[in-house]
Amino acid sequence: MFPINYFLFLQIILFLFITPGTPRIVIISYSMNYGVQKCIWTALGDITANFIQATLVIFVLGSFFVDNPNFLNIFKWIGIAYLLYLAYDLYKSRPKDINSNNISSKSFFSFFKDGFLVAGTSPKAWMFFPLIFPQFIDFNSNYIVQFFILITTYVVLDFLSLVAYALLARKLIVWIKANPKTINTISACVLIIIALIIAFIQKY
């Protein structure tokens, strides 16, 4: 009933979560622009997309993406387009002053949507869940219980790591108050670089 090699699964996902990927770049920039509380909605969008991906892979799609790589290409280009949009949005935005009480015009749903789309259109996520995730489930036993143990572990640790990145970024804002556009420019450039790497290197 307990997942296969659970502690190995923990090591893999912890390594993934501490590595600054696209969701963490977005969280860092949003934390500096809008504050940590708003980033919680982005993190919730991220883990919601991951939960849906894992559920579809285990209970619906199975090996569909492995046998039909063209669909991964569709997700890849949707993700690239959205990353470029986020890069532009971050570059044009201006971080709030750290003591500002102004309420951002960006809605909670908009933060949730950004997190959901960044995670939901990530080809890496669609490769992780069908290729890696099922390897830790014994389908000859009660795989539903195993699934919920694994996915609960995944989304809780993912959420905590995203919030940790947001808190760290909020502390760093004190260092860049003299040049508030720096982090946005750097983050936008990183998102563009990630989009280009996905476009030219990742093949499915």
Side-chain angles (χ1 to χ4, degrees):
M1 185 178 294
F2 204 72
I4 303 170
N5 296 324
Y6 178 73
F7 292 105
L8 177 59
F9 175 78
L10 274 178
Q11 292 174 34
I12 292 172
I13 62 173
L14 284 173
F15 176 77
L16 291 175
F17 295 156
I18 64 175
T19 305
T22 309
R24 280 134 190 89
I25 298 295
V26 173
I27 282 285
I28 288 170
S29 295
Y30 279 11
S31 176
M32 291 185 172
N33 283 291
Y34 305 106
V36 175
Q37 289 183 335
K38 300 290 181 67
C39 288
I40 291 175
W41 290 94
T42 306
L44 288 173
D46 180 284
I47 64 174
T48 300
N50 290 154
F51 180 82
I52 292 172
Q53 288 167 326
T55 303
L56 287 174
V57 164
I58 298 300
F59 298 106
V60 181
L61 298 177
S63 60
F64 178 80
F65 283 111
V66 178
D67 298 331
N68 299 273
N70 287 336
F71 282 89
L72 276 176
N73 268 321
I74 293 173
F75 277 102
K76 181 181 86 169
W77 289 107
I78 293 174
I80 288 169
Y82 197 69
L83 287 178
L84 293 175
Y85 162 75
L86 284 180
Y88 174 78
D89 189 52
L90 286 171
Y91 179 74
K92 296 295 289 183
S93 64
R94 178 179 181 135
K96 294 190 305 179
D97 183 82
I98 194 167
N99 296 316
S100 173
N101 292 320
N102 293 334
I103 299 176
S104 169
S105 60
K106 197 172 172 71
S107 68
F108 289 133
F109 176 75
S110 182
F111 287 102
F112 181 90
K113 177 202 69 177
D114 287 346
F116 185 89
L117 289 178
V118 166
T121 59
S122 169
K124 284 187 177 180
W126 285 110
M127 290 296 285
F128 173 83
F129 287 109
L131 296 180
I132 307 298
F133 199 78
Q135 296 183 32
F136 297 94
I137 296 177
D138 180 5
F139 287 94
N140 295 318
S141 183
N142 191 339
Y143 69 91
I144 295 178
V145 172
Q146 296 176 64
F147 167 80
F148 278 107
I149 292 173
L150 291 176
I151 195 59
T152 300
T153 302
Y154 185 97
V155 298
V156 168
L157 292 179
D158 191 16
F159 179 81
L160 291 176
S161 71
L162 289 168
V163 173
Y165 266 91
L167 290 169
L168 177 61
R170 198 61 183 164
K171 296 295 183 183
L172 291 176
I173 199 171
V174 178
W175 298 353
I176 61 166
K177 284 179 70 176
N179 190 11
K181 286 294 290 183
T182 300
I183 189 64
N184 283 7
T185 303
I186 293 173
S187 298
C189 290
V190 170
L191 287 177
I192 292 171
I193 290 170
I194 292 174
L196 291 174
I197 290 172
I198 293 172
F200 293 107
I201 294 180
Q202 291 190 1
K203 306 294 182 184
Y204 302 103

